[in-house]
Amino acid sequence: MACYSEYDRLINVILCEPKFMKIREIINETQKYYADENIDTELAVKQHKTFIKALEEKGITVHCLPSLQEYPEQVFTRDIGFTIGHTLYISAMGREIRQGEEKILKEWMNEEHITIKDLQHDSIEGGDVLLDRKTVYVGVSHRTSREAIAKLQKHEPDYTIIPVPFNEKYLHLDCVFNVLSAEEAIIYPPAFHEEELKLLTSRYNTIEIDEDEQFTLGSNILSIGNNTLFALPVNKKINAKLKERGYHVIEVDISEIIKSGGAFRCITLPLDRQKPTP
């Protein structure tokens, strides 16, 4: 088990079927918009199965956690953990409605005899954690505190941990920023103050998304390596830009799932990506 970036070839990943997915308590701006309409759970499950099949067709091993009725947000496996190098971290969830999901992941990891590092009372959700070799960008949000980020730096002294404040209405950092390669990233500039925007754009050739496609989570793609990534069909402009840059874009419709505030990166927890050659 090892992860060193957001874009090396994906080998093993954890998902969770949205069998009990509902907006029971509004905990982000997207849910506020879809609260009355809510989630068609049957459709969400169907779309999720299609995504799993697409991953498996690419040779990726998919592990599914058990779905429990008390956890309506359980589909978003990325938030409950993140892998840095050979370590899988599990932290406390920032919202009460999601607290307890981490226990399911811990039980599964114990059954698989995989070592974890339990951050216990430190709230740092995986949607805020983006890895690029020896640098880790961590969003400062309602779900991830500066104190937790400081503790992560102590756990990983060989990595440079960079806190990235952003407008917290966008939930997680990966809703407004995502690393595509060592050179390129997707970004939604209005989410950042000048200092953070300058930092990120100085490190990457950035591809901007507009307000409409930020709302439909155009930045929340999943890279599976070899310049190949999963994206939503609805985000035509950013997908066209990605194709122009040479990326192979696999479009899968998970439009029912994104009503709860997350897309491909949010619903996947990578365990293992191919280690880059020196």
Side-chain angles (χ1 to χ4, degrees):
M1 183 189 79
C3 287
Y4 297 93
S5 79
E6 302 294 327
Y7 48 81
D8 292 320
R9 185 170 70 85
L10 185 60
I11 299 170
N12 285 283
V13 66
I14 296 176
L15 280 75
C16 185
E17 197 172 32
K19 289 181 181 178
F20 305 103
M21 188 178 184
K22 285 290 178 186
I23 302 174
R24 296 184 197 167
E25 177 186 324
I26 297 172
I27 58 174
N28 60 59
E29 292 297 315
T30 308
Q31 288 184 345
K32 188 182 298 183
Y33 183 85
Y34 288 109
D36 291 337
E37 182 180 338
N38 219 300
I39 308 294
D40 182 335
T41 306
E42 185 177 340
L43 178 56
V45 168
K46 182 179 178 181
Q47 291 178 345
H48 196 262
K49 287 181 183 296
T50 299
F51 176 47
I52 289 177
K53 182 180 179 182
L55 288 169
E56 292 175 337
E57 286 174 351
K58 290 297 179 181
I60 298 163
T61 300
V62 176
H63 309 276
C64 283
L65 298 176
S67 305
L68 300 182
Q69 192 165 4
E70 57 262 46
Y71 303 124
E73 308 287 334
Q74 205 179 358
V75 68
F76 300 122
T77 54
R78 174 79 64 158
D79 297 335
I80 55 180
F82 53 91
T83 307
I84 297 178
H86 293 280
T87 304
L88 186 129
Y89 288 90
I90 300 179
S91 78
M93 301 299 289
R95 287 290 194 138
E96 186 176 349
I97 195 172
R98 301 202 60 184
Q99 291 168 5
E101 290 181 34
E102 69 277 8
K103 295 177 183 177
I104 309 304
L105 177 58
K106 289 176 189 177
E107 289 170 4
W108 184 88
M109 299 296 281
N110 288 334
E111 288 173 5
E112 297 294 318
H113 305 291
I114 298 173
T115 302
I116 61 172
K117 186 164 285 188
D118 192 345
L119 297 178
Q120 297 180 346
H121 303 295
D122 297 321
S123 178
I124 178 168
E125 296 191 357
D128 282 322
V129 181
L130 287 96
L131 175 63
D132 190 1
R133 302 298 182 237
K134 285 296 184 178
T135 301
V136 185
Y137 303 96
V138 187
V140 181
S141 71
H142 286 305
R143 310 290 187 86
T144 298
S145 68
R146 285 187 178 274
E147 292 77 14
I149 297 171
K151 288 183 182 179
L152 180 63
Q153 180 66 85
K154 291 180 180 178
H155 287 301
E156 296 290 351
D158 294 333
Y159 288 79
T160 300
I161 312 292
I162 300 178
V164 183
F166 64 99
N167 188 325
E168 293 179 346
K169 80 174 185 177
Y170 296 111
L171 185 60
H172 287 129
L173 183 60
D174 65 7
C175 294
V176 290
F177 176 70
N178 203 339
V179 179
L180 298 167
S181 71
E183 295 81 29
E184 294 184 311
I186 302 175
I187 197 166
Y188 178 59
F192 300 94
H193 293 298
E194 184 177 350
E195 182 180 350
E196 285 72 39
L197 187 60
K198 185 177 180 180
L199 169 70
L200 297 174
T201 55
S202 70
R203 288 171 173 250
Y204 297 95
N205 296 318
T206 51
I207 306 170
E208 294 187 9
I209 58 172
D210 62 19
E211 184 178 5
D212 289 345
E213 293 195 345
Q214 187 287 316
F215 182 75
T216 47
L217 297 170
S219 68
N220 203 261
I221 57 89
L222 174 71
S223 174
I224 61 169
N226 299 317
N227 286 342
T228 301
L229 51 87
F230 282 91
L232 287 155
V234 69
N235 294 321
K236 299 184 184 302
K237 288 174 282 187
I238 187 63
N239 291 355
K241 289 180 182 180
L242 291 168
K243 291 172 186 176
E244 287 171 6
R245 301 283 186 108
Y247 292 94
H248 174 50
V249 179
I250 303 172
E251 295 186 346
V252 174
D253 183 11
I254 57 166
S255 54
E256 202 62 26
I257 292 171
I258 74 166
K259 290 179 180 178
S260 208
F264 294 104
R265 190 176 187 276
C266 295
I267 65 174
T268 52
L269 172 54
L271 281 180
D272 198 12
R273 288 184 181 270
Q274 185 178 42
K275 187 175 181 178
T277 54

